[in-house]
Amino acid sequence: MSTNAVRTNPYIPCPVTIEEVTIENDAKDLKTFKLVLENAEDRFDYLPGQFAEVSVLGMGESPFGIASSPTEEDYLLFTVKRTGSVTAELHNSEIGRRIGVRGPLGNSFPWDRMEGRDIVIVSGGFAFTTLRSAITYMIDPASRSRFGAITVLYGARSPGELMYKETLSSWNKGGEIDLTLTVDREPEEEWDGKVGLVPNVLRDLAPSTENAIALVCGPPIMIRFTIPVLQELGFGPEETVLSLENRMKCGIGKCGRCNVGPKYVCVDGPVFTLAELQRLPPEY
Ligand SMILES: Cc1cc2nc3c(=O)[nH]c(=O)nc-3n(C[C@H](O)[C@H](O)[C@H](O)COP(=O)(O)OP(=O)(O)OC[C@H]3O[C@@H](n4cnc5c(N)ncnc54)[C@H](O)[C@@H]3O)c2cc1C
Ligand code: FES
């Protein structure tokens, strides 16, 4: 019988082993963990946009967006920024360490509404994780024909802070995505991307809104300035999709830690359309 920790007991994590660790940025405070489920009978069926709680024995657990795609069947990826106790312990972990994963949790990007449409991805900083999942999923040969053109705008403070750079460039060269990278300030090193903040570069890029839907993930300040630009370009509130990262505890709608008005970000989200958010109190 297959088990899924969420379906049987929502608080019990699946044991996983750290198989690989990749340092993603110059500051070395972003690491991607490749995790493999220990028990073949454990199931972890997810869609891009969902998250999971990753736990370290004796330290606690933290929510992270799932960076791998369901098409990467043999492992899960999480990219983690070192911020406090759980993330520091993860960063100090060696390959082979046994940790836990509880999930998948929350909703996903609106895949049914995205079918047959052009996808515009706008992101800044390390919130790109679930968008890596989304792109990997869409460009998989089995699903590519279900989506139109994929335009990606991704920014960071400096070139060394952009994650998954080589993978993104190879997808761009292969014609699978139309990629624009941007950094906040003119870098000292050689740089053939754009220079400027994500909202400004988005305005210049002016992707077509015709039959398009925009997925936006980034720090709150980027999101605040990006929404008006998307509106200027003509993306309606139903066509603007955002992912929130409110503080969470249980991840399953029990503790009330993450609520915004009547919504629990952990179960009703983390993905919302701008139209849905406009109906909520501005606490997110
Ligand atoms: C749905 C969701 C998806 C997320 N995805 C990712 C991801 O892919 N990669 C990633 O690195 N992080 C992600 N986060 C944020 C991550 O959960 C926190 O950074 C983590 O819980 C910090 O744990 P800690 O024990 O190391 O830090 P703590 O010791 O708990 O706190 C350290 C510092 O981080 C701050 N902090 C804690 N939680 C958050 C939060 N949710 N948002 C902002 N600041 C916080 C605290 O206020 C404190 O200043 C996500 C959060 C949510 C809710
Ligand atoms: S984190 Fe407990 S209700 Fe959402």
Side-chain angles (χ1 to χ4, degrees):
M1 188 188 72
S2 71
T3 58
N4 179 312
V6 164
R7 283 184 215 128
T8 51
N9 180 333
Y11 295 105
I12 298 181
C14 298
V16 291
T17 306
I18 300 177
E19 198 182 82
E20 207 174 288
V21 181
T22 307
I23 298 172
E24 294 287 352
N25 62 341
D26 287 354
K28 297 189 169 53
D29 61 358
L30 283 168
K31 287 186 179 177
T32 297
F33 296 86
K34 184 176 188 180
L35 307 179
V36 176
L37 287 165
E38 273 187 15
N39 302 323
E41 67 274 20
D42 276 337
R43 293 273 305 279
F44 197 92
D45 299 329
Y46 64 100
L47 280 171
Q50 290 192 277
F51 70 99
E53 293 276 351
V54 177
S55 54
V56 188
L57 197 63
M59 207 40 96
E61 60 177 5
S62 279
F64 299 104
I66 305 168
S68 50
S69 152
T71 52
E72 297 167 304
E73 288 174 5
D74 301 332
Y75 54 86
L76 297 169
L77 297 177
F78 293 93
T79 302
V80 175
K81 185 175 172 76
R82 186 187 193 117
T83 46
S85 47
V86 172
T87 51
E89 185 64 22
L90 277 169
H91 270 242
N92 293 336
S93 297
E94 304 279 343
I95 288 169
R97 184 173 187 179
R98 186 187 212 212
I99 58 171
V101 171
R102 189 161 68 82
L105 302 170
N107 65 356
S108 67
F109 293 121
W111 291 103
D112 49 345
R113 292 188 56 228
M114 288 161 65
E115 285 217 24
R117 305 179 76 170
D118 288 349
I119 310 295
V120 176
I121 285 177
V122 184
S123 185
F126 68 97
F128 197 77
T129 53
T130 52
L131 295 171
R132 179 210 176 276
S133 171
I135 299 168
T136 311
Y137 180 67
M138 288 187 285
I139 67 173
D140 187 81
S143 44
R144 186 67 194 91
S145 61
R146 290 164 47 205
F147 306 96
I150 304 168
T151 303
V152 180
L153 167 59
Y154 175 36
R157 276 200 309 275
S158 60
E161 295 306 300
L162 288 160
M163 312 189 301
Y164 320 130
K165 263 195 306 282
E166 280 160 28
T167 311
L168 287 168
S169 298
S170 74
W171 289 339
N172 188 42
K173 283 197 190 103
E176 284 143 320
I177 61 173
D178 179 0
L179 175 70
T180 302
L181 295 176
T182 185
V183 293
D184 292 357
R185 274 171 250 104
E186 192 68 56
E188 283 167 17
E189 64 264 50
E190 199 180 315
W191 173 243
D192 59 3
K194 303 265 183 200
V195 177
L197 300 174
V198 166
N200 300 337
V201 177
L202 177 65
R203 186 180 285 110
D204 294 344
L205 214 57
S208 167
T209 58
E210 202 183 321
N211 196 29
I213 193 160
L215 309 184
V216 188
C217 296
I221 184 86
M222 185 213 92
I223 292 192
R224 181 140 36 98
F225 288 100
T226 298
I227 288 173
V229 177
L230 286 169
Q231 288 174 323
E232 260 171 64
L233 294 172
F235 285 92
E238 296 286 359
E239 273 52 59
T240 304
V241 175
L242 303 125
S243 188
L244 301 186
E245 290 200 356
N246 288 44
R247 304 297 161 86
M248 291 182 185
K249 197 79 191 158
C250 69
I252 52 169
K254 302 285 185 204
C255 72
R257 177 80 181 268
C258 67
N259 68 301
V260 179
K263 298 277 184 191
Y264 289 115
V265 176
C266 65
V267 287
D268 300 312
V271 176
F272 294 93
T273 62
L274 180 60
E276 288 171 312
L277 292 180
Q278 284 170 339
R279 292 192 285 271
L280 295 177
E283 296 161 3
Y284 47 89

